[in-house]
Structures are given as C-alpha cells and as structure tokens.
Amino acid sequence: MSRLHSAFGLATAVLLGGALLPSALADPAESSPIDYSIQVDAGGETTSIPDTMHGVFFEDINDAADGGIYAELVRNRSFEYDTVDNPSYTPMTGWSTTSVGGAEGSAEVVDDAQRLNENNRRYLRLRPNASGNAAYGVTNAGYHSGMSLERGEKYDFSVWARSDQPGGTPLTVTATDGSGSPVGRTMRIRVRGDQWTEYTKTFVAHSDTNTGGLRVLGHGSGTLRLDMVSLFPRDTFKGEPNGLREDLARKIEALNPGFLRFPGGCLVNTGSHESYQAPDWERRRSYQWKDTVGPVEQRPTNANFWGYNQSYGLGFYEYFRFAENIGAMPLPVVPALVTGCGENNATDDPQLLRRHIQDTLDLIQFANGSVDTEWGAKRAAMGHPEPFGLTHLAVGNEENLPEDFYERFEKFRDAIEQRYPGITVVANSGPDDSGAVFERGWELAREQNAEMVDEHYYNNPQWFLENNRRYDSYDRSGPKVSLTEYASEGNRFYNALVEASFMTGLERNADVVRMSSYAPLLAHEDDPQWTPDMIWFDNHRSWGSASYEAQKLFGNNVGDEVVPSEASSTPVEEKPISGAVGLSTWNTSAAYDEVRVTSADGETLLADDFSGDASKWSDLTGTGDWSIQDGAYVQSDAGVQNTMVTAGEKSWSDYDLHLTATKRAGSEGFLVAFGVEGTDDYYWWNLGGWNNTSSAVQQTTAGSSQTVLSKDTTIETGREYDIRVEVRGRKVTLFLDGEKWGSFTDEQNAEPFRQVVTRDEETGELIVKVVNAQDNRARTRLDIDGASELANTARLTTLRGDPQAVNTAESRPIKPEKSVVRGVDENFSHTFPANSITVMRIKTQGN
C-alpha cells in the first residue's frame, strides 16, 4: 500500500535536530507567513479508521469518582474511611457531631454483630444525652468546600437505619448552607423496629449553596443505628439511578469517544490480589470487579492507590452503563497478578491465578451472558437484561516485569479464547515508550501472537513534536497498538498543539494504532494527585483544558478512512549538540575526580584534578553539599535531588568529557551532564537511576525530560568508575570502564506544520486537519487530485491562541471558532493562523 507522509517538527526556537530559520522565530506581531503546500491524493489507496480511534480512559485519580463524576454528595456515607486509606482519615472523616436544645449525645462508629452486612461492617450509633431532651446527631460536610445544591432542583435522601425503641425513633434530615441555615424543607422519618430498613425522602432546594452540608438528627431517648447515609441529585446523567454528575458526564460525551477504558490504571494492579474475606479482609486490594456490582450497600470498600477511599458506588455495572450511554465501546481492565506502579511484585499462587482467570470469564458472562446464566442474571437483576456487547478486554496495566506478566497473560488469553473466542485480549508494554521493559514486552507479545498491545507514556512537549512518525515503522503484520494513556507535560495551549500534531500521526497510522486516549481524564481542582489532566472541576463547575478542546475537535472529526496526503516542510539549519559539562547526584553522595574536557583535535578545554579549589565550577541548582575532600569533588548530602554543578562554555561542541566517579552512599548512582545550556536544558548520563535499577541518557528541554537511551546498568557503592562521553556533531558515544556502553545520534526533526486528511463516507467530505504549532502563519496551497467535483465552500473549526494560554473556571481563552472558506477548488490557498489547530471539511458535489 502506498503512503505519503508529511515532515514534522517543533514550534519553538530550538530544535533537537536543528533550528528553525530566523523568519520562523520572529515575533508573531511582526513575522511574515511561511509558505507551505499540501498535496492530497483523494483517489489514492486509503486506510480504514476504526470507530475506536479516539476514546477516553477513566481512572479514579484526582477524586475522579467519589467526590467527582459519581453524583453522591455525602462523603464517607458508610463510615468506612480508615487510616489505611489515608493517614489523616478516621471513621468519622466528613462528619461532625451535632446537637440541638441541650447537651450533646454520643455519636460513635461501631463494628459489631449488629452491622448492616458482612461487607459493610461499620455503622454509626447515635445515643441521646442522659436527659433525652435534645436532638442529637451528625452533620456531613460533603467533599472539599461542601455540597453544591441548586435552587429548584430535587435531591433524593436515603439511609439504612434501625432503632431499639418499640415505638420507633424520630429522625430529621436537613440540607444546610455553610452557616447551618436550611436550604430545603426538613425531612421527617420515623425509624421503626430493630431491623435494618432503608428509608427514603426527597426535597427541593429553595436556595443555592456551594458550601452545603447534611444534618441528621435523632429525637427522644432511643438509640439509633445509621448506615449508608446518602444524598443524590435527582438530575443525574441520562436520569440513571446511582448515577453520574451531569456536567462532567456531558463533557465526556461531547468528546464523542469511541471507547471507554476503565477502571484504571494503577489501582487495577496494585495491592493484594486476595478477595474480600470478612472479618480479616485485606483493605489494600487490587480492583476486583465482583466487589463493585450488586446493591451499593453490599459493596465492600477499598483503599485507593492514590491515597483516599473507594466506596465502589461507581462500579463495573455503572461503567458499562456509562459506556453504553455515550456510545462508546467498553474496555474493562483486570489485574494480571503482577503489580506495577512502583510495587513490581509477581504473585506466585496458582490457585489464586485460577480464581482471577475465572473471575475474568465471569466478567465476560456478566457483560454478555443471557439472563439464564449466573452472571447474566445478576446483570439483569441490576436493571439491564440486554447484554452490553463486550468485545475487548485488557489484562494488566504497566507491569515492569515483562517475563512474569506475559507468563500470566498467556494463561488469561488462552482461557478467554477457549471460552469466548470473539473477545480481543489486550496486553501491554509497560509504563514507558522505550527501554528494556518496553522492548522485552513487545518481543514477548509477538512471540505469543498477542492481538493488541497497550502503550502508555507521559513525555515532555518536545517528545510529541519529534515522534509524529513513531508508528510509521511498526510491523503492519504484528500486534496492533492501543495507546490508552498519553499526555504531554502541561495544560497550556502549547501542550494541546503538540498533542494534536502527534495525533495526526496516530490517524495516519490507523492500520496499526486502533485506539488512543489522553490521560488522566478528570481532576478535582482541590485534590489533584497528577497533572496534566483533561477536564477540571470543583464541586459545582467544570471546564475543559486546552487539550480537552483539541481532543474534542479530533474526536468529532475523525473520518472513516485515511486519504494519502503530503505536506512541505519548514526549512531548518543543522547545529551540533553544544554546551558546558556538569556533575550531579540524586539521593546519593558521590565523589568525582580527574575531570578533563578536550576538543576533537586534542586541545584541552578543561582539566581539574581537585588538588586545589573548585573555582572552575558553578552551582546550577542551589542544592547539595559540595566540597573538595582528599583530592576529589564530593557531594555529601544523600537526601537531595539534582545537585548539578557545571564548568565550561555553552559554545563548546565536538568534545570529549573524561572523568572518574565513585558512589559513596545513597539510593542511586551518579549523573554526568553534557550539552548544558542552562538550568532547564541539558543532557545527562544517569548511571544507577531509578533506585539503582537501570541507567539512561536523558535530555531535558525547557525543564521537561525524556529518555534517549537506556540499559539495565547498576552502580556499586565504593567502586571507582571510569567515564567518557564523546560528542561529535549530534552523535554521542558513551564509554564505561573503557567499554562502549552505547551511542545515539539525535536526529529528531521537530517540524511545526503537520496535517492528516481523512474522508467521511456518509457525507463524502474530505476532512483536512492542520496543526500549525509556531508563531508564524502558514500560507498554504492545497492541491486536491482525484476527487469528484468539490463544493466551492468549506466549513472550518479552529482552535488558536497564545501558546501559554490555560483554560480555567473563570476564563476559556481556547475554544472553537467556526467559519467558512470560499473559493475552494482543486487548487486553492488558505492561510492557517499561527499556533492553531484547524479542521477543514470540504464537501464533494452530489454528497
């Protein structure tokens, strides 16, 4: 199959492979446009684009579920919070005691034989004061700043309760604002009998508040027991019971996602893989789907890997329903019994492995089985007798132990193929875009004939600008790629520009890349564990980042097939790697000696044996404890990171750096820098990094780093190492103890002008997506060959703005602009704005 590819690159002043010519670096107010051309072969051989090209990945991180998209307003509704979830938690987190009209009664969280059920073990016991003349109870403050309640909206309250009084015990429930004043009528309930019973009420808010709470009071002399205290807005997404917050779900739906991957992420494959077993149950468990289905009051709670509690109110049934409601293919993820995300343990328990494989088979039955099967009947009992139509399922997430992972993956895959041959089982290649784990993972995937491999990577913006062609060279007959976690580091419009540039390469390689999704999806403004994120929110508002706008633009303009196209490139001039040299440590004490830098023709540029002072060296980072000791330059503080000192000139190029280094103490090895242009721009050879598990050459640009080359080298304490770095032009060769360790040539070209062309089969439109990631306008001639007669107008949707712009709750500088282009023909010109993402839809006559 013939393919035409465009060049690719960078919209900033400095390139890894060269620099933009001066006209491309000028101030946008004064810069002249750069001329480009796009050739489109509308009659050429096309590539089908799957419906799953762009999707979404949901993980309960950044309070994405409880306190986020799960619409429950009460925090810690079942009193199950614990220090195992977060050191600051207690069973009363979110609650405070309240009394009216006298001395306080007692409010105590209890775990005894009178509990609601074995899975929901704790409950609240309320007792009046001795005189019994006061209302007594608790108030829930909701999440973060408080509950958001809106005037005129309905809210459903429910509670499981029991009373030890034969005649029952009155209970009043009031929604309040931040001052404690009611924002709705008080709901009155009489709790009758000493058996757990669910009570429900509804009220309408008569005023607005974003700092609301829920006051629950008992009256009289009886002892009340309460559990599962809940307040839900009636207006959930699609009116689903136990449903989702409307504004967040709508924003996700607006992305037009082709798939929904859930529930993670790190919480899938961390912690114990044992099941819930009362009473001595493991609180830190991997996400196991059977815990999350059935009545919410019977779902056991779990500790979240990201440092809080998971109520499991949002469980697998709700995920399947959400996918169905937004028209997305469900892609559940199950644990492979190999932990990731820094834990890196392989569970060797054949019986437990068989149980998890059976659980996975049961999951497929839950999703697809008829109502006369065990798990299909459970799905039907939850309100969905029709199958969900599951076709894809992922095993594992970012495992760093590829041998152990693929040994177990093969067992999962074989069992699934035997029972359910129509299911695609997705493997993965670890947590990074390259390196030993990545390479070995892909090797094993090919050996096992895996159908699809999941890739994840979070890199600096430069990496995305350099890697548009990443999938051009992938084996067309090998496993397909699902790229379900990626993002550049930042939430500026510049990040959206480089991600969009990268996405044109994803679409162009649609025969290999079958799924892709930005991550993470959601983040509460008050508690982000990870940034960047696509959609931000607080308790009453939500807003899409610039990356959200780019993802939505692509998701709603995918097309059905890739049309061959080629674009001209931006002129660049080559320049060598240049800069000073540096020494650094990371959580380590190390000694350096006999530093010598010589030019390619043998001239000595720097020589220091540290027999005198350290005057040739400058402190770059302001950290560490550097001193000359016994004729060596020693950094003594093993508890600080990046202690870099530098020597030499930024203009140095084509040189050899030679030195000795000795690790004295600490968790890592040592760092030798070259090409140092400043605090945020350099290369370094990280020997004994990542807690002394591997070594790599990393390049930092504008403060963000990426791995250029990596190996499994580790560093011994007390041993002197001989190190040499040879820089020639853009080629670097590294020697350790006289042996060649590795080499690389940094030839990545960062091209600011990128395009992809697709076709919408239903409308007949050609969809031209153009990313112009630079401060110059792109004056472009478009030549379209092989198309039926074109309409003379085209519809445009454009994102443009300051590359540093950030969307916030108060301001949305990056948003789509609609316009029309006239004079469209087989050959016509259009100028794409500086720093812009444009979708041009050109309709053919007769469609």
Side-chain angles (χ1 to χ4, degrees):
M1 179 174 61
S2 172
R3 281 181 174 275
L4 298 172
H5 302 309
S6 62
F8 181 57
L10 176 65
T12 58
V14 180
L15 305 180
L16 280 182
L20 294 176
L21 290 179
S23 64
L25 304 179
D27 184 87
E30 301 176 356
S31 62
S32 59
I34 300 177
D35 290 323
Y36 293 93
S37 64
I38 297 176
Q39 303 286 332
V40 181
D41 183 7
E45 188 173 0
T46 61
T47 300
S48 175
I49 303 175
D51 293 338
T52 55
M53 185 71 242
H54 302 296
V56 291
F57 162 52
F58 182 93
E59 178 174 9
D60 188 1
I61 184 175
N62 307 317
D63 286 0
D66 296 320
I69 197 170
Y70 184 50
E72 174 66 76
L73 297 175
V74 175
R75 187 183 185 204
N76 190 18
R77 66 184 179 187
S78 61
F79 309 98
E80 298 290 343
Y81 275 35
D82 196 275
T83 55
V84 73
D85 305 322
N86 187 292
S88 67
Y89 284 1
T90 74
M92 283 290 286
T93 292
W95 298 92
S96 59
T97 57
T98 306
S99 65
V100 178
E104 290 187 359
S106 67
E108 181 182 10
V109 176
V110 180
D111 180 358
D112 63 17
Q114 293 182 309
R115 65 180 64 90
L116 179 59
N117 56 62
E118 287 300 292
N119 288 352
N120 195 335
R121 302 184 62 76
R122 296 174 182 168
Y123 64 89
L124 182 69
R125 184 171 62 197
L126 293 178
R127 286 175 171 164
N129 60 29
S131 64
N133 62 357
Y136 57 99
V138 289
T139 296
N140 188 271
Y143 291 89
H144 301 292
S145 60
M147 299 177 184
S148 178
L149 303 171
E150 187 176 347
R151 180 180 179 180
E153 293 297 317
K154 290 184 177 181
Y155 296 87
D156 295 325
F157 169 80
S158 65
V159 63
W160 286 80
R162 58 194 293 183
S163 167
D164 65 354
Q165 297 299 298
T169 301
L171 186 72
T172 59
V173 182
T174 309
T176 64
D177 61 18
S179 67
S181 300
V183 296
R185 66 174 179 82
T186 295
M187 296 168 282
R188 303 183 184 279
I189 296 169
R190 177 168 288 274
V191 179
R192 300 181 182 276
D194 205 7
Q195 299 293 324
W196 287 105
T197 304
E198 185 179 25
Y199 298 87
T200 62
K201 290 285 184 178
T202 298
F203 75 94
V204 177
H206 57 59
S207 58
D208 295 330
T209 182
N210 294 319
T211 58
L214 187 70
R215 187 167 60 224
V216 182
L217 298 174
H219 301 264
S221 58
T223 295
L224 279 170
R225 292 175 173 84
L226 307 178
D227 207 343
M228 294 297 292
V229 184
S230 172
L231 186 65
F232 247 87
R234 176 70 61 84
D235 187 18
T236 60
F237 181 62
K238 304 288 188 181
E240 291 280 342
N242 193 50
L244 305 182
R245 181 171 148 175
E246 173 81 10
D247 62 326
L248 291 176
R250 289 287 182 199
K251 280 186 169 58
I252 297 171
E253 182 184 39
L255 292 164
N256 192 30
F259 68 89
L260 171 66
R261 177 175 178 251
F262 60 88
C266 284
L267 55 83
V268 166
N269 66 335
T270 52
S272 168
H273 298 299
E274 297 291 341
S275 61
Y276 171 89
Q277 293 179 347
D280 298 321
W281 53 289
E282 176 58 57
R283 184 62 170 254
R284 291 189 178 276
R285 307 185 307 281
S286 57
Y287 198 108
Q288 298 174 46
W289 76 272
K290 288 182 179 178
D291 290 345
T292 75
V293 297
V296 291
E297 70 274 7
Q298 295 178 16
R299 302 180 188 181
T301 193
N302 199 3
N304 186 303
F305 174 83
W306 298 107
Y308 50 93
N309 177 272
Q310 297 175 91
S311 73
Y312 283 156
L314 175 58
F316 259 55
Y317 177 81
E318 289 77 23
Y319 284 122
F320 276 118
R321 285 291 288 140
F322 184 39
E324 185 175 58
N325 280 330
I326 62 177
M329 181 194 81
L331 177 61
V333 187
V334 298
L337 274 71
V338 180
T339 57
C341 303
E343 294 185 358
N344 302 333
N345 295 311
T347 299
D348 188 14
D349 184 335
Q351 183 176 352
L352 185 60
L353 178 61
R354 285 193 294 271
R355 195 268 289 175
H356 274 268
I357 291 173
Q358 185 58 52
D359 282 355
T360 303
L361 297 174
D362 291 343
L363 171 60
I364 299 171
Q365 188 183 91
F366 177 79
N368 293 350
S370 65
V371 296
D372 57 1
T373 61
E374 177 185 0
W375 288 99
K378 293 182 184 295
R379 181 196 67 242
M382 295 185 71
H384 201 284
E386 302 83 8
F388 284 118
L390 180 68
T391 59
H392 290 65
L393 182 145
V395 175
N397 174 79
E398 294 188 8
E399 283 75 17
N400 261 316
L401 306 172
E403 306 286 347
D404 295 298
F405 168 73
Y406 274 95
E407 177 186 351
R408 290 155 180 78
F409 171 81
E410 187 173 24
K411 292 180 171 62
F412 276 88
R413 193 267 311 273
D414 291 349
I416 293 169
E417 287 186 347
Q418 182 177 359
R419 183 79 61 84
Y420 300 106
I423 300 293
T424 296
V425 186
V426 182
N428 77 81
S429 58
D432 209 346
D433 60 271
S434 61
V437 170
F438 177 86
E439 297 296 337
R440 182 57 175 155
W442 264 101
E443 182 180 11
L444 291 168
R446 288 188 287 267
E447 289 177 4
Q448 293 188 11
N449 295 317
E451 191 168 347
M452 186 173 288
V453 176
D454 199 21
E455 293 187 356
H456 295 175
Y457 37 80
Y458 299 90
N459 290 317
N460 64 34
Q462 181 92 349
W463 185 95
F464 285 90
L465 284 168
E466 294 169 353
N467 280 272
N468 178 273
R469 293 182 178 273
R470 174 182 177 87
Y471 296 105
D472 291 9
S473 60
Y474 272 50
D475 181 1
R476 274 32 213 177
S477 63
K480 304 304 181 184
V481 174
S482 68
L483 171 59
T484 59
E485 292 191 41
Y486 74 91
S488 67
E489 295 164 355
N491 259 165
R492 302 167 296 157
F493 182 44
Y494 183 67
N495 298 95
L497 285 167
V498 303
E499 289 155 1
S501 293
F502 186 71
M503 290 163 72
T504 65
L506 300 181
E507 290 191 3
R508 190 181 66 243
N509 286 283
D511 59 325
V512 169
V513 182
R514 309 300 286 174
M515 291 187 281
S516 68
S517 55
Y518 180 104
L521 177 62
L522 296 174
H524 197 294
E525 187 176 45
D526 293 339
D527 191 26
Q529 284 86 30
W530 181 279
T531 56
D533 302 287
M534 194 197 299
I535 300 170
W536 290 81
F537 63 95
D538 58 23
N539 285 3
H540 65 286
R541 301 172 298 180
S542 59
W543 56 98
S545 66
S547 293
Y548 171 82
E549 297 296 345
Q551 294 287 331
K552 184 168 68 172
L553 191 61
F554 270 69
N556 285 279
N557 294 279
V558 183
D560 299 297
E561 57 187 13
V562 182
V563 176
S565 65
E566 183 177 8
S568 60
S569 59
T570 306
V572 297
E573 58 181 4
E574 293 294 332
K575 72 169 190 175
I577 293 173
S578 61
V581 298
L583 311 172
S584 188
T585 60
W586 192 286
N587 292 334
T588 304
S589 171
Y592 296 93
D593 203 356
E594 301 296 339
V595 178
R596 179 176 293 273
V597 180
T598 56
S599 67
D601 59 9
E603 178 187 358
T604 298
L605 303 176
L606 171 71
D608 202 339
D609 63 3
F610 303 105
S611 58
D613 58 27
S615 59
K616 297 177 181 178
W617 297 86
S618 300
D619 190 340
L620 190 69
T621 60
T623 59
D625 182 10
W626 288 93
S627 63
I628 293 179
Q629 301 178 25
D630 300 324
Y633 201 20
V634 177
Q635 197 292 110
S636 301
D637 190 341
V640 293
Q641 300 174 347
N642 194 5
T643 62
M644 192 186 297
V645 293
T646 64
E649 303 294 332
K650 293 182 181 179
S651 60
W652 282 358
S653 61
D654 293 339
Y655 59 77
D656 290 351
L657 167 61
H658 197 170
L659 60 103
T660 64
T662 305
K663 173 182 175 178
R664 303 196 336 160
S667 60
E668 303 210 353
F670 31 78
L671 298 148
V672 177
F674 55 96
V676 180
E677 296 185 334
T679 308
D680 295 329
D681 295 277
Y682 53 84
Y683 296 81
W684 69 18
W685 190 2
N686 185 350
L687 285 157
W690 297 273
N691 290 319
N692 202 19
T693 60
S694 62
S695 299
V697 177
Q698 297 171 282
Q699 192 229 356
T700 296
T701 304
S704 296
S705 64
Q706 61 178 303
T707 297
V708 178
L709 179 68
S710 65
K711 288 190 174 183
D712 293 335
T713 307
T714 58
I715 297 300
E716 299 175 19
T717 302
R719 174 184 165 187
E720 183 179 86
Y721 289 84
D722 183 85
I723 295 169
R724 183 159 65 94
V725 180
E726 180 184 281
V727 181
R728 296 290 184 273
R730 300 201 65 80
K731 181 177 181 180
V732 178
T733 308
L734 306 107
F735 299 87
L736 186 64
D737 289 336
E739 300 289 332
K740 181 178 176 179
W741 183 85
S743 67
F744 66 93
T745 301
D746 200 339
E747 293 180 326
Q748 297 283 11
N749 183 35
E751 161 64 51
F753 188 77
R754 266 294 171 189
Q755 100 303 324
V756 68
V757 180
T758 62
R759 179 183 285 115
D760 186 323
E761 290 181 338
E762 182 178 350
T763 65
E765 291 173 301
L766 292 174
I767 305 172
V768 182
K769 301 187 192 76
V770 174
V771 181
N772 183 29
Q774 62 182 324
D775 290 339
N776 296 77
R777 291 167 291 148
R779 186 167 53 199
T780 307
R781 178 178 176 83
L782 292 94
D783 297 314
I784 303 173
D785 296 327
S788 57
E789 186 178 355
L790 302 172
N792 65 1
T793 61
R795 294 182 293 136
L796 260 65
T797 307
T798 305
L799 298 174
R800 62 177 172 175
D802 183 344
Q804 305 305 314
V806 176
N807 283 359
T808 67
E810 291 76 24
S811 174
R812 188 184 167 201
I814 305 304
K815 57 187 176 182
E817 303 172 6
K818 303 283 188 179
S819 61
V820 173
V821 173
R822 304 189 186 280
V824 174
D825 202 343
E826 292 180 356
N827 311 108
F828 71 101
S829 294
H830 179 75
T831 298
F832 295 95
N835 299 307
S836 66
I837 307 168
T838 302
V839 170
M840 177 185 293
R841 298 187 72 112
I842 305 173
K843 200 165 188 176
T844 57
Q845 296 285 10
N847 287 286

